[in-house]
Amino acid sequence: MERVPDTLVSRAEALRFGTVLAASGPVVLRAFALGPADMDGTICWRLPATVPLYLSRTTTWGLLSLAELLLPAILAGLLLLSSRWTVPLGAVAVLAVLAFRLLVTLRVVFAGRLLEQSPWPSIVCYGAAFLMLLAVTPSPRPRAGKEVVFWTATAGAAAWMAARLPVLLRGEANGLFGWVAYGEPRSLWNFPVLWSCKADVDGLLVVLVALVATASSVLADRARHRLLLATATLLVIAALEGYVPAVILMDTEKLRQEFQFETTMLIRWHLLIAAALVVAAAFAVRPVRPDAVPS
């Protein structure tokens, strides 16, 4: 067996991480645009059957938002598997989402409606992801089936709120990144107590999982454990962000007991599950790193 020079490994893994990062661009940009969490900061803790939200979307924009959210996770999975199909399938996925974005944009233009969102950020992000992906050389390692199972489950748990939004939303309208809100907009980034709600609703936590999965496959054990434990801690904080302040603000133990069930509903259990899966990945999965090739 002959070891690949470290410089080549570093460059290859930088391309892998950069591909997923570039593909995550539209999802990250969504976090700085008006969306459901900006209009109602309690959306993360509401029951869809009891409290309708005055937010709406069209099916087309909703599917586009879902495709943009899934793309980074799909690319991360393909890069973890690292087979001869990684680059072709990844390129098809990137081009398909880009084509979908352009078709939706052209549909709005030809219908004579106001284009609320420029397609150029998506074109730049997906173009960069496509070019970096073409430069990726699949690493000569066994398929990381166990890694992919863990990270797929983690991404699925982190995506629960974004997948649940169609049940919460009512009506039909055309809007920014698939969503349109009626009312006076506000930004949750101005309210640190609710920062994780917007991140959860907009899919930033799914992007985080995809990026961590891509990076963790090449780190040394100690650095990998630190990264995964830090990610798990962040997910736990996000899960308890609504619950802990509610308990602290209750004046007496009697109030805590009377509203114990209600306050428990403020915990975002899907993020606790995601955190547990990240910890499991840290200790139960030992990734096979691309540090050797057949002689």
Side-chain angles (χ1 to χ4, degrees), residues 76-142:
L78 288 172
L79 290 170
L80 281 175
L81 288 173
S82 194
S83 72
R84 62 191 179 92
W85 295 104
T86 293
V87 173
L89 291 179
V92 169
V94 173
L95 293 178
V97 177
L98 176 57
F100 193 10
R101 161 62 69 183
L102 294 177
L103 286 174
V104 171
T105 301
L106 290 174
R107 179 185 176 187
V108 173
V109 172
F110 289 145
R113 296 194 297 269
L114 179 65
L115 186 62
E116 299 180 25
Q117 179 206 346
S118 170
W120 286 109
S122 294
I123 292 174
V124 172
C125 289
Y126 293 142
F130 179 76
L131 293 176
M132 283 188 282
L133 186 63
L134 292 182
V136 167
T137 302
S139 59
R141 64 175 183 176

Side-chain angles (χ1 to χ4, degrees), residues 60-281:
T60 303
W61 279 100
L63 290 174
L64 177 58
S65 298
L66 180 61
E68 290 177 337
L69 182 62
L70 289 177
L71 182 60
I74 291 173
L75 290 177
L78 288 172
L79 290 170
L80 281 175
L81 288 173
S82 194
S83 72
R84 62 191 179 92
W85 295 104
T86 293
V87 173
L89 291 179
V92 169
V94 173
L95 293 178
V97 177
L98 176 57
F100 193 10
R101 161 62 69 183
L102 294 177
L103 286 174
V104 171
T105 301
L106 290 174
R107 179 185 176 187
V108 173
V109 172
F110 289 145
R113 296 194 297 269
L114 179 65
L115 186 62
E116 299 180 25
Q117 179 206 346
S118 170
W120 286 109
S122 294
I123 292 174
V124 172
C125 289
Y126 293 142
F130 179 76
L131 293 176
M132 283 188 282
L133 186 63
L134 292 182
V136 167
T137 302
S139 59
R141 64 175 183 176
R143 293 192 176 188
K146 193 175 181 181
E147 284 182 77
V148 172
V149 170
F150 268 98
W151 288 115
T152 299
T154 306
W160 168 253
M161 181 56 64
R164 182 171 171 260
L165 276 179
V167 183
L168 288 168
L169 302 177
R170 300 290 185 269
E172 289 189 1
N174 201 8
L176 192 64
F177 279 100
W179 312 109
V180 63
Y182 297 101
E184 185 65 28
R186 59 189 177 89
S187 173
L188 286 184
W189 298 116
N190 295 327
F191 300 88
V193 173
L194 296 175
W195 73 268
S196 70
C197 177
K198 182 165 180 60
D200 198 3
V201 170
D202 291 334
L204 275 179
L205 298 180
V206 181
V207 166
L208 173 66
V209 169
L211 291 172
V212 169
T214 306
S216 68
S217 65
V218 296
L219 294 175
D221 287 341
R222 180 176 297 182
R224 179 175 177 272
H225 286 164
R226 288 176 178 174
L227 173 64
L228 297 192
L229 292 178
T231 302
T233 301
L234 186 64
L235 290 172
V236 169
I237 293 173
L240 301 178
E241 193 179 39
Y243 172 76
V244 173
V247 172
I248 293 175
L249 290 175
M250 289 192 177
D251 296 331
T252 65
E253 184 64 29
K254 181 180 179 181
L255 280 176
R256 292 191 184 97
Q257 292 177 355
E258 288 179 356
F259 294 96
Q260 183 176 5
F261 176 75
E262 287 79 0
T263 54
T264 303
M265 294 300 293
L266 296 177
I267 300 175
R268 275 179 276 168
W269 297 99
H270 62 285
L271 296 184
L272 289 181
I273 293 173
L277 289 169
V278 171
V279 173

